[in-house]
Amino acid sequence: MNVWVIGASRGIGLGLVERYLAQGAQVLALVRAPNAALDALMATAKGRLRVVTGDLCDPDLGTRLLEELRPGSLDRLIVNAGIMGPAEEDGQWATAAELGELFLTNAVAPLRLLDVLAPRMAAEGVMACLSSQMGSVSLARSAEMPLYGASKAALNSLLQSWVAGRQPPCAVLALHPGWVRTELGGASAPVEVADSVAGLVATIEARVGQSGSAFLDYQGQALPW
Ligand SMILES: NC(=O)c1ccc[n+]([C@@H]2O[C@H](COP(=O)([O-])OP(=O)(O)OC[C@H]3O[C@@H](n4cnc5c(N)ncnc54)[C@H](OP(=O)(O)O)[C@@H]3O)[C@@H](O)[C@H]2O)c1
């Protein structure tokens, strides 16, 4: 099984790489810079881990990655990369550059990559983007982080529009990983990376052979868009 994790240097992305390697998959990990944790994993992965350098926001990333695989051979594409955005969550004070980076990274670039790589997906493949329950418009849980929540709501909206327009044969998921103890989640987050990742992988694998879009948490529960 071929698994690609986009944004794999640390946190949930690194955990997904470890989990899929442990399950015997061939994994491609995309990172922005050389990474000691992945170098260490490579030493034990027996040729099943390939680390590629790139930036999700690079408009040529998808075209470059297309050359890595023949059509129909990518089983799982997981766009994990995401940022919290400006420290000042009040949109009134955020700069245009900060807002552009937030919405490009969290919403536009993931869908751009899905669109370019869709022809490489296996018939029973799964495409997934790391979203957040803060992106749920109906739950409206983003009172403290409205910009971040809006960027994930934009991701969810773009994902649904893309699936409706493109109708890919495989499942396309927006995933909430829980509130996870990472650099982004912070030290007081209650969920360990390993627990989040175990749940995310089980949730992804349960969708094999299905089509359409779904917004799910790491325990496989459907969330309202
Ligand atoms: N932790 C939580 O509680 C939580 C909750 C809901 C949703 N999420 C979502 O889950 C995903 C992973 O979060 P995390 O907690 O693991 O965050 P994290 O520890 O901050 O890791 C973020 C990852 O994204 C990568 N990244 C960011 N921008 C990138 C870009 N332009 N190109 C390539 N890689 C990029 C980072 O790489 P660098 O090392 O190069 O910066 C890093 O590997 C994110 O999408 C996040 O929004 C997290």
Coordinates of all heavy atoms in Angstrom, one line a residue, residues 44-136:
T44 N 15.2 2.3 10.1 CA 14.6 1.0 10.4 C 13.4 0.7 9.5 O 12.8 -0.4 9.6 CB 13.9 1.1 11.9 OG1 13.1 2.3 11.9 CG2 15.0 1.3 12.9
A45 N 13.2 1.5 8.5 CA 12.0 1.3 7.6 C 12.3 0.3 6.5 O 11.4 0.0 5.7 CB 11.5 2.6 7.1
K46 N 13.5 -0.1 6.4 CA 13.9 -1.1 5.3 C 13.4 -0.7 3.9 O 12.8 -1.5 3.2 CB 13.3 -2.5 5.7 CG 13.8 -3.0 7.0 CD 13.3 -4.4 7.3 CE 13.8 -4.9 8.6 NZ 12.9 -5.6 9.4
G47 N 13.7 0.6 3.6 CA 13.4 1.0 2.2 C 12.0 1.4 2.0 O 11.6 1.8 0.9
R48 N 11.1 1.4 3.0 CA 9.7 1.7 2.8 C 9.3 3.1 3.1 O 8.2 3.5 2.9 CB 8.8 0.7 3.7 CG 8.8 -0.7 3.2 CD 7.8 -1.6 3.9 NE 8.2 -1.8 5.3 CZ 7.5 -1.2 6.3 NH1 6.5 -0.4 6.1 NH2 7.9 -1.4 7.6
L49 N 10.3 3.9 3.5 CA 10.1 5.4 3.7 C 10.9 6.2 2.8 O 12.1 6.0 2.6 CB 10.4 5.7 5.2 CG 10.3 7.2 5.5 CD1 8.9 7.8 5.3 CD2 10.8 7.4 7.0
R50 N 10.2 7.1 2.1 CA 10.9 8.1 1.2 C 10.5 9.5 1.7 O 9.3 9.8 1.9 CB 10.4 7.8 -0.2 CG 11.0 8.7 -1.3 CD 10.8 8.0 -2.6 NE 10.7 9.0 -3.7 CZ 11.6 9.9 -4.0 NH1 12.7 10.1 -3.3 NH2 11.4 10.8 -5.0
V51 N 11.5 10.3 1.9 CA 11.3 11.6 2.4 C 11.5 12.6 1.2 O 12.6 12.6 0.6 CB 12.2 12.0 3.6 CG1 12.0 13.4 4.1 CG2 12.0 11.0 4.7
V52 N 10.5 13.4 1.0 CA 10.6 14.4 -0.1 C 10.5 15.8 0.4 O 9.6 16.0 1.3 CB 9.5 14.1 -1.2 CG1 9.4 15.2 -2.2 CG2 9.7 12.8 -1.8
T53 N 11.3 16.7 0.0 CA 11.2 18.1 0.5 C 10.3 18.9 -0.4 O 10.4 18.8 -1.7 CB 12.6 18.7 0.5 OG1 13.5 17.8 1.2 CG2 12.6 20.0 1.2
G54 N 9.4 19.6 0.2 CA 8.5 20.5 -0.6 C 7.6 21.3 0.4 O 7.5 21.0 1.5
D55 N 7.0 22.3 -0.2 CA 6.1 23.2 0.6 C 4.7 23.0 0.0 O 4.5 23.2 -1.2 CB 6.6 24.6 0.5 CG 5.9 25.5 1.4 OD1 4.6 25.4 1.6 OD2 6.6 26.3 2.1
L56 N 3.7 22.7 0.9 CA 2.4 22.6 0.4 C 1.9 23.8 -0.4 O 1.1 23.7 -1.3 CB 1.4 22.4 1.6 CG -0.1 22.3 1.4 CD1 -0.4 21.1 0.5 CD2 -0.8 22.3 2.7
C57 N 2.4 25.0 -0.1 CA 1.9 26.2 -0.7 C 2.6 26.5 -2.1 O 2.3 27.4 -2.8 CB 2.1 27.4 0.2 SG 1.1 27.3 1.7
D58 N 3.6 25.6 -2.4 CA 4.3 25.8 -3.7 C 3.3 25.4 -4.8 O 2.8 24.2 -4.9 CB 5.5 24.9 -3.7 CG 6.2 24.9 -5.1 OD1 5.7 25.6 -6.0 OD2 7.2 24.1 -5.2
P59 N 2.9 26.3 -5.7 CA 1.9 25.9 -6.8 C 2.4 24.8 -7.7 O 1.5 24.2 -8.3 CB 1.7 27.2 -7.5 CG 2.9 28.1 -7.2 CD 3.4 27.7 -5.8
D60 N 3.7 24.6 -7.7 CA 4.2 23.5 -8.6 C 4.3 22.1 -7.9 O 4.8 21.2 -8.5 CB 5.6 23.9 -9.2 CG 5.4 25.1 -10.1 OD1 4.4 25.3 -10.7 OD2 6.3 26.0 -10.1
L61 N 4.0 22.1 -6.6 CA 4.2 20.9 -5.8 C 3.5 19.7 -6.5 O 4.1 18.6 -6.6 CB 3.8 21.1 -4.4 CG 3.9 19.8 -3.5 CD1 5.4 19.5 -3.3 CD2 3.2 19.9 -2.2
G62 N 2.3 19.8 -6.8 CA 1.5 18.7 -7.3 C 2.1 18.1 -8.6 O 2.3 16.9 -8.7
T63 N 2.5 19.0 -9.5 CA 3.1 18.6 -10.8 C 4.3 17.8 -10.5 O 4.6 16.8 -11.2 CB 3.3 19.8 -11.6 OG1 2.3 20.7 -11.5 CG2 3.5 19.5 -13.1
R64 N 5.1 18.3 -9.6 CA 6.4 17.6 -9.2 C 6.1 16.2 -8.7 O 6.8 15.3 -9.0 CB 7.2 18.5 -8.3 CG 8.6 18.0 -7.9 CD 9.4 19.2 -7.5 NE 9.1 19.7 -6.2 CZ 9.4 19.2 -5.0 NH1 10.1 18.1 -4.9 NH2 9.0 19.8 -3.9
L65 N 5.1 16.2 -7.8 CA 4.8 14.9 -7.1 C 4.2 13.9 -8.1 O 4.3 12.7 -7.9 CB 3.9 15.1 -5.9 CG 4.5 15.8 -4.7 CD1 3.5 16.0 -3.6 CD2 5.7 15.0 -4.1
L66 N 3.5 14.4 -9.1 CA 2.9 13.5 -10.1 C 3.9 12.5 -10.7 O 3.6 11.4 -11.1 CB 2.4 14.3 -11.3 CG 0.9 14.8 -11.2 CD1 0.6 15.6 -12.4 CD2 0.0 13.7 -11.0
E67 N 5.2 13.0 -10.8 CA 6.2 12.1 -11.4 C 6.6 11.0 -10.5 O 7.3 10.0 -11.0 CB 7.5 13.0 -11.7 CG 7.2 14.0 -12.9 CD 8.2 15.2 -12.8 OE1 9.2 15.0 -12.2 OE2 7.9 16.2 -13.5
E68 N 6.2 11.0 -9.3 CA 6.7 10.0 -8.3 C 5.9 8.7 -8.5 O 6.4 7.6 -8.1 CB 6.4 10.5 -6.9 CG 7.2 11.7 -6.5 CD 8.6 11.3 -6.1 OE1 8.9 10.2 -5.7 OE2 9.5 12.2 -6.2
L69 N 4.7 8.7 -9.1 CA 3.9 7.5 -9.1 C 3.2 7.3 -10.5 O 2.9 8.3 -11.1 CB 2.8 7.5 -8.0 CG 3.2 7.2 -6.6 CD1 2.0 7.4 -5.7 CD2 3.7 5.7 -6.5
R70 N 2.9 6.1 -10.9 CA 2.1 5.9 -12.1 C 0.6 6.1 -11.7 O 0.2 5.9 -10.6 CB 2.4 4.6 -12.7 CG 2.1 3.4 -11.9 CD 2.5 2.1 -12.5 NE 1.9 1.0 -11.7 CZ 2.3 0.6 -10.5 NH1 3.3 1.2 -9.9 NH2 1.7 -0.4 -9.9
P71 N -0.2 6.3 -12.8 CA -1.7 6.5 -12.5 C -2.3 5.3 -11.7 O -1.9 4.1 -12.0 CB -2.3 6.6 -13.9 CG -1.2 7.1 -14.7 CD 0.1 6.5 -14.2
G72 N -3.1 5.6 -10.8 CA -3.9 4.5 -10.1 C -3.1 3.8 -9.0 O -3.5 2.8 -8.5
S73 N -1.9 4.3 -8.6 CA -1.1 3.6 -7.6 C -1.0 4.2 -6.3 O -0.3 3.7 -5.4 CB 0.3 3.3 -8.2 OG 0.9 4.6 -8.5
L74 N -1.7 5.3 -6.0 CA -1.6 5.9 -4.7 C -2.9 5.5 -3.9 O -4.0 5.8 -4.3 CB -1.6 7.5 -4.9 CG -1.5 8.3 -3.6 CD1 -0.3 7.9 -2.8 CD2 -1.3 9.8 -4.0
D75 N -2.6 4.9 -2.8 CA -3.7 4.3 -2.0 C -4.3 5.3 -1.0 O -5.5 5.3 -0.7 CB -3.3 3.0 -1.3 CG -2.8 2.0 -2.3 OD1 -3.7 1.4 -3.0 OD2 -1.6 1.7 -2.4
R76 N -3.4 6.1 -0.3 CA -3.9 7.0 0.7 C -3.1 8.3 0.4 O -1.9 8.3 0.5 CB -3.6 6.6 2.1 CG -4.1 5.1 2.4 CD -5.6 5.0 2.6 NE -5.9 3.6 2.9 CZ -6.2 2.7 2.0 NH1 -6.4 3.1 0.7 NH2 -6.5 1.5 2.3
L77 N -3.8 9.4 0.3 CA -3.2 10.8 0.3 C -3.7 11.5 1.5 O -5.0 11.8 1.6 CB -3.6 11.5 -1.0 CG -3.1 13.0 -1.1 CD1 -1.6 13.1 -1.0 CD2 -3.6 13.6 -2.4
I78 N -2.9 11.9 2.4 CA -3.3 12.6 3.6 C -2.6 13.9 3.6 O -1.4 14.0 3.8 CB -2.9 11.8 4.9 CG1 -3.5 10.3 4.8 CG2 -3.5 12.5 6.1 CD1 -3.0 9.4 5.9
V79 N -3.4 15.0 3.5 CA -2.8 16.3 3.6 C -3.0 16.8 5.0 O -4.1 17.2 5.4 CB -3.5 17.3 2.6 CG1 -2.9 18.7 2.6 CG2 -3.5 16.7 1.2
N80 N -1.9 16.7 5.7 CA -1.9 16.9 7.2 C -1.5 18.4 7.5 O -1.9 19.0 8.5 CB -1.0 16.0 7.9 CG -0.7 16.4 9.3 OD1 -1.6 16.2 10.2 ND2 0.5 16.9 9.6
A81 N -0.6 18.9 6.7 CA 0.0 20.3 6.9 C -1.1 21.3 7.3 O -2.1 21.4 6.6 CB 0.8 20.7 5.8
G82 N -0.8 22.0 8.3 CA -1.8 23.1 8.7 C -1.1 24.1 9.6 O -0.1 23.7 10.3
I83 N -1.6 25.3 9.7 CA -1.0 26.3 10.6 C -2.1 26.9 11.5 O -3.2 27.0 11.1 CB -0.2 27.4 9.9 CG1 -1.0 28.1 8.9 CG2 1.1 26.7 9.2 CD1 -0.3 29.3 8.2
M84 N -1.7 27.4 12.6 CA -2.6 28.1 13.5 C -3.0 29.5 13.0 O -4.0 30.0 13.2 CB -2.0 28.2 14.9 CG -2.8 28.9 15.9 SD -4.2 27.8 16.4 CE -3.4 27.0 17.7
G85 N -2.0 30.1 12.2 CA -2.3 31.5 11.8 C -1.8 32.5 12.7 O -1.0 32.2 13.6
P86 N -2.2 33.8 12.5 CA -1.6 34.9 13.3 C -1.9 34.7 14.8 O -3.0 34.3 15.2 CB -2.4 36.1 12.7 CG -3.4 35.6 11.9 CD -3.2 34.2 11.5
A87 N -0.9 35.1 15.6 CA -1.1 35.0 17.0 C -2.3 35.9 17.5 O -3.0 35.5 18.4 CB 0.2 35.5 17.7
E88 N -2.4 37.0 16.8 CA -3.5 37.9 17.1 C -4.7 37.4 16.3 O -4.8 37.6 15.1 CB -3.2 39.3 16.6 CG -4.3 40.3 16.8 CD -4.9 40.4 18.2 OE1 -4.2 40.9 19.1 OE2 -6.0 39.9 18.3
E89 N -5.6 36.7 16.9 CA -6.7 36.0 16.2 C -7.8 37.0 15.7 O -8.7 36.6 15.0 CB -7.4 34.9 17.1 CG -6.8 33.5 16.9 CD -7.3 32.8 15.6 OE1 -8.4 33.1 15.2 OE2 -6.5 32.0 15.1
D90 N -7.7 38.2 16.2 CA -8.7 39.2 15.7 C -8.4 39.6 14.3 O -7.3 40.2 14.1 CB -8.7 40.4 16.7 CG -9.8 41.3 16.4 OD1 -10.3 41.3 15.2 OD2 -10.2 42.1 17.3
G91 N -9.2 39.3 13.3 CA -9.0 39.6 11.9 C -8.7 41.1 11.7 O -8.0 41.4 10.7
Q92 N -9.1 41.9 12.6 CA -8.9 43.3 12.5 C -7.4 43.7 12.5 O -7.0 44.7 11.9 CB -9.6 44.0 13.6 CG -9.8 45.5 13.4 CD -10.5 46.1 14.6 OE1 -11.1 45.4 15.4 NE2 -10.5 47.4 14.7
W93 N -6.6 42.9 13.2 CA -5.2 43.2 13.4 C -4.3 42.4 12.6 O -3.1 42.7 12.4 CB -4.8 43.1 14.9 CG -5.7 43.9 15.8 CD1 -6.6 43.5 16.7 CD2 -5.8 45.4 15.8 NE1 -7.2 44.5 17.3 CE2 -6.7 45.7 16.7 CE3 -5.1 46.4 15.1 CZ2 -7.1 47.0 17.0 CZ3 -5.5 47.7 15.3 CH2 -6.5 48.0 16.3
A94 N -4.8 41.3 12.0 CA -3.9 40.4 11.2 C -3.6 41.1 9.9 O -4.4 41.9 9.3 CB -4.7 39.1 10.9
T95 N -2.3 40.9 9.4 CA -1.9 41.5 8.2 C -2.4 40.7 7.0 O -2.8 39.5 7.1 CB -0.4 41.5 8.1 OG1 0.1 40.2 8.0 CG2 0.3 42.2 9.3
A96 N -2.4 41.3 5.8 CA -2.8 40.6 4.6 C -2.0 39.4 4.3 O -2.5 38.4 3.9 CB -2.8 41.6 3.4
A97 N -0.7 39.5 4.6 CA 0.2 38.4 4.4 C -0.1 37.2 5.3 O -0.1 36.1 4.9 CB 1.7 38.8 4.6
E98 N -0.4 37.6 6.6 CA -0.8 36.5 7.5 C -2.1 35.8 7.1 O -2.2 34.6 7.2 CB -0.9 37.1 8.9 CG 0.4 37.5 9.6 CD 0.1 38.3 10.9 OE1 -0.9 39.0 11.0 OE2 1.0 38.2 11.8
L99 N -3.0 36.6 6.7 CA -4.3 36.0 6.3 C -4.2 35.2 5.0 O -4.7 34.1 4.9 CB -5.3 37.2 6.1 CG -5.7 37.9 7.3 CD1 -6.6 39.2 6.9 CD2 -6.5 37.1 8.3
G100 N -3.3 35.7 4.1 CA -3.1 34.9 2.9 C -2.4 33.6 3.2 O -2.8 32.6 2.6
E101 N -1.4 33.6 4.0 CA -0.7 32.4 4.4 C -1.7 31.4 5.1 O -1.6 30.2 4.8 CB 0.5 32.7 5.3 CG 1.3 31.4 5.6 CD 2.3 31.6 6.7 OE1 2.2 32.6 7.5 OE2 3.3 30.8 6.8
L102 N -2.5 31.9 6.0 CA -3.4 31.0 6.7 C -4.4 30.3 5.8 O -4.6 29.1 5.8 CB -4.2 31.8 7.8 CG -5.3 31.1 8.5 CD1 -4.7 30.0 9.4 CD2 -6.1 32.0 9.4
F103 N -5.1 31.1 4.9 CA -6.1 30.5 4.0 C -5.5 29.7 2.9 O -6.1 28.7 2.4 CB -7.1 31.6 3.6 CG -8.1 32.0 4.6 CD1 -7.8 32.9 5.7 CD2 -9.3 31.4 4.7 CE1 -8.7 33.1 6.7 CE2 -10.2 31.6 5.7 CZ -9.9 32.5 6.7
L104 N -4.3 30.1 2.4 CA -3.6 29.3 1.4 C -3.2 28.0 1.9 O -3.5 26.9 1.4 CB -2.4 30.1 0.8 CG -1.6 29.4 -0.2 CD1 -2.5 29.1 -1.5 CD2 -0.4 30.2 -0.6
T105 N -2.6 28.0 3.1 CA -2.1 26.7 3.7 C -3.2 25.8 4.1 O -3.2 24.6 3.8 CB -1.2 27.0 5.0 OG1 -0.2 28.0 4.6 CG2 -0.6 25.7 5.5
N106 N -4.2 26.3 4.9 CA -5.2 25.5 5.5 C -6.4 25.1 4.5 O -7.1 24.2 4.8 CB -5.8 26.2 6.7 CG -4.8 26.1 7.9 OD1 -3.7 25.7 7.7 ND2 -5.2 26.6 9.1
A107 N -6.6 25.9 3.5 CA -7.8 25.7 2.7 C -7.5 25.5 1.2 O -7.9 24.5 0.6 CB -8.8 26.8 2.9
V108 N -6.8 26.4 0.6 CA -6.7 26.4 -0.9 C -5.6 25.4 -1.4 O -5.9 24.5 -2.2 CB -6.3 27.8 -1.4 CG1 -6.1 27.8 -3.0 CG2 -7.4 28.8 -1.1
A109 N -4.5 25.4 -0.7 CA -3.4 24.5 -1.2 C -3.7 23.0 -1.0 O -3.4 22.2 -1.9 CB -2.1 24.8 -0.5
P110 N -4.4 22.6 0.1 CA -4.8 21.2 0.1 C -5.6 20.7 -1.0 O -5.4 19.6 -1.6 CB -5.5 21.1 1.5 CG -5.0 22.2 2.3 CD -4.7 23.3 1.3
L111 N -6.6 21.5 -1.4 CA -7.5 21.1 -2.5 C -6.8 21.2 -3.8 O -7.1 20.4 -4.7 CB -8.8 22.0 -2.5 CG -10.0 21.4 -1.7 CD1 -10.4 20.1 -2.4 CD2 -9.6 21.1 -0.3
R112 N -5.9 22.1 -4.0 CA -5.1 22.2 -5.2 C -4.3 20.9 -5.4 O -4.3 20.3 -6.5 CB -4.1 23.4 -5.1 CG -3.6 23.9 -6.4 CD -3.0 25.3 -6.3 NE -2.0 25.4 -5.2 CZ -1.5 26.6 -4.8 NH1 -1.9 27.7 -5.4 NH2 -0.6 26.6 -3.9
L113 N -3.8 20.4 -4.3 CA -3.0 19.2 -4.4 C -3.9 17.9 -4.7 O -3.6 17.1 -5.5 CB -2.2 19.0 -3.0 CG -1.1 17.9 -3.1 CD1 -0.1 18.3 -4.1 CD2 -0.5 17.8 -1.7
L114 N -5.1 17.9 -4.0 CA -6.0 16.8 -4.3 C -6.4 16.8 -5.7 O -6.4 15.7 -6.4 CB -7.3 17.0 -3.4 CG -7.4 16.1 -2.2 CD1 -6.3 16.3 -1.2 CD2 -8.7 16.4 -1.4
D115 N -6.6 17.9 -6.3 CA -7.1 18.0 -7.7 C -6.0 17.5 -8.6 O -6.3 16.7 -9.5 CB -7.4 19.5 -8.0 CG -8.1 19.6 -9.3 OD1 -9.1 18.9 -9.5 OD2 -7.7 20.4 -10.2
V116 N -4.7 17.9 -8.4 CA -3.6 17.5 -9.3 C -3.4 16.0 -9.1 O -3.1 15.3 -10.1 CB -2.4 18.3 -9.0 CG1 -1.2 17.8 -9.9 CG2 -2.6 19.8 -9.3
L117 N -3.4 15.5 -7.9 CA -3.0 14.1 -7.7 C -4.2 13.1 -7.8 O -3.9 11.9 -7.8 CB -2.4 13.9 -6.3 CG -1.1 14.7 -6.1 CD1 -0.6 14.5 -4.7 CD2 0.0 14.3 -7.1
A118 N -5.4 13.5 -8.0 CA -6.5 12.6 -8.1 C -6.3 11.5 -9.2 O -6.7 10.4 -8.9 CB -7.8 13.4 -8.4
P119 N -5.7 11.8 -10.3 CA -5.5 10.8 -11.3 C -4.6 9.7 -10.9 O -4.5 8.6 -11.4 CB -4.9 11.5 -12.5 CG -5.3 12.9 -12.3 CD -5.3 13.1 -10.9
R120 N -3.8 9.9 -9.8 CA -2.9 8.9 -9.3 C -3.5 8.0 -8.3 O -2.9 7.0 -7.8 CB -1.6 9.6 -8.7 CG -0.7 10.3 -9.7 CD -0.1 9.3 -10.6 NE 0.9 10.0 -11.5 CZ 0.7 10.4 -12.7 NH1 -0.5 10.3 -13.2 NH2 1.6 11.0 -13.4
M121 N -4.8 8.3 -7.9 CA -5.4 7.5 -6.8 C -5.8 6.2 -7.3 O -6.3 6.0 -8.4 CB -6.6 8.3 -6.2 CG -6.3 9.5 -5.5 SD -5.1 9.3 -4.1 CE -6.0 8.3 -3.0
A122 N -5.6 5.2 -6.4 CA -6.1 3.8 -6.7 C -7.6 3.8 -6.6 O -8.2 4.7 -5.9 CB -5.5 2.8 -5.7
A123 N -8.3 2.8 -7.3 CA -9.7 2.8 -7.3 C -10.3 2.7 -5.9 O -11.3 3.3 -5.6 CB -10.2 1.6 -8.1
E124 N -9.6 2.0 -5.0 CA -10.1 1.9 -3.6 C -9.3 2.8 -2.7 O -9.0 2.4 -1.5 CB -10.0 0.4 -3.1 CG -10.7 -0.5 -4.0 CD -11.7 -1.4 -3.2 OE1 -11.3 -2.0 -2.3 OE2 -12.9 -1.4 -3.6
G125 N -8.9 3.9 -3.2 CA -8.1 4.8 -2.4 C -8.9 5.7 -1.5 O -10.1 5.7 -1.5
V126 N -8.2 6.4 -0.6 CA -8.8 7.4 0.2 C -8.0 8.7 0.2 O -6.8 8.6 0.4 CB -9.0 7.0 1.7 CG1 -9.7 8.0 2.6 CG2 -9.8 5.7 1.8
M127 N -8.6 9.9 0.0 CA -8.0 11.1 0.1 C -8.5 11.8 1.4 O -9.7 11.8 1.6 CB -8.3 12.0 -1.1 CG -7.9 11.4 -2.4 SD -8.5 12.4 -3.8 CE -7.0 13.0 -4.4
A128 N -7.6 12.4 2.2 CA -8.0 13.0 3.5 C -7.3 14.3 3.7 O -6.1 14.4 3.5 CB -7.8 12.0 4.6
C129 N -8.0 15.2 4.3 CA -7.3 16.5 4.7 C -7.6 16.6 6.2 O -8.7 16.4 6.7 CB -8.0 17.7 4.0 SG -7.6 17.8 2.3
L130 N -6.6 17.1 6.9 CA -6.8 17.4 8.4 C -7.5 18.7 8.5 O -7.0 19.7 8.2 CB -5.4 17.4 9.1 CG -5.0 16.0 9.7 CD1 -5.9 15.6 10.9 CD2 -5.1 14.9 8.7
S131 N -8.7 18.6 9.0 CA -9.6 19.8 9.2 C -9.6 20.0 10.7 O -8.6 19.7 11.4 CB -11.0 19.5 8.6 OG -11.8 20.6 8.8
S132 N -10.7 20.5 11.2 CA -10.9 20.7 12.7 C -12.4 20.8 12.9 O -13.1 21.3 12.1 CB -10.2 21.9 13.1 OG -10.5 22.3 14.4
Q133 N -12.8 20.4 14.1 CA -14.2 20.7 14.5 C -14.5 22.2 14.5 O -15.6 22.6 14.4 CB -14.6 20.0 15.8 CG -14.0 20.5 17.0 CD -14.4 19.8 18.3 OE1 -15.1 18.8 18.2 NE2 -14.1 20.4 19.4
M134 N -13.4 23.0 14.7 CA -13.6 24.4 14.7 C -14.0 24.9 13.3 O -14.4 26.1 13.2 CB -12.3 25.1 15.1 CG -12.0 24.9 16.6 SD -10.6 25.9 17.1 CE -10.3 25.3 18.7
G135 N -13.9 24.1 12.3 CA -14.3 24.4 11.0 C -15.8 24.1 10.7 O -16.3 24.4 9.7
S136 N -16.4 23.5 11.7 CA -17.9 23.2 11.6 C -18.7 24.5 11.8 O -18.6 25.1 12.8 CB -18.3 22.1 12.6 OG -19.7 22.1 12.7

